Amino acid sequence: MEVKLEQQFLKGALEMVLLSFIAKRRSYGYELILQLQKEGGGLFQETKEGTLYPILYRLEDEKLITSELASDGGKRVKKYYQITEEGIRMKAALVEEWDAFVTG
């Protein structure tokens, strides 16, 4: 796959994957990066903060996720993301589109 096309494909798929991860449990950014690397089947190994956070901010602007600052049990405060009802509907629509694409 051409590099630019592959980047666009991964960027589009990343939104669906992030919504799916956040739907399972509220998560913070670095945790999402680790989950992408672990569960992404090698597709998202190179995902960096510069890619992740703009997508999270856009998802939040679109009211698909919300965020809150919370302590991690120690002295650190992290920004946790959780999915909204609208985000659940969007995730379902994206998964449906993906399934239709894959099955042709």
Side-chain angles (χ1 to χ4, degrees):
M1 189 180 302
E2 207 175 299
V3 173
K4 188 170 184 160
L5 180 60
E6 182 177 348
Q7 288 172 341
Q8 289 299 319
F9 171 78
L10 291 177
K11 187 176 178 183
L14 188 54
E15 180 178 312
M16 178 182 64
V17 171
L18 288 172
L19 286 172
S20 295
F21 286 168
I22 297 169
K24 291 178 187 175
R25 73 169 199 261
R26 94 185 176 134
S27 303
Y28 58 93
Y30 185 67
E31 180 179 45
L32 289 166
I33 288 174
L34 293 177
Q35 193 172 7
L36 285 167
Q37 292 172 349
K38 181 180 176 186
E39 299 178 31
L43 290 174
F44 302 107
Q45 286 298 102
E46 301 300 318
T47 302
K48 305 284 187 233
E49 291 88 355
T51 301
L52 178 75
Y53 285 104
I55 294 171
L56 290 173
Y57 298 150
R58 185 174 44 75
L59 292 174
E60 193 168 16
D61 287 345
E62 294 174 1
K63 309 279 190 254
L64 302 176
I65 61 173
T66 60
S67 66
E68 67 177 339
L69 296 176
S71 172
D72 64 357
K75 293 184 178 184
R76 296 182 58 149
V77 174
K78 297 177 180 175
K79 188 174 188 178
Y80 286 88
Y81 297 93
Q82 54 197 30
I83 199 163
T84 64
E85 289 297 320
E86 183 62 27
I88 291 169
R89 286 189 290 275
M90 175 60 78
K91 179 187 80 74
L94 291 170
V95 169
E96 186 176 314
E97 286 179 28
W98 177 257
D99 289 343
F101 172 75
V102 170
T103 58

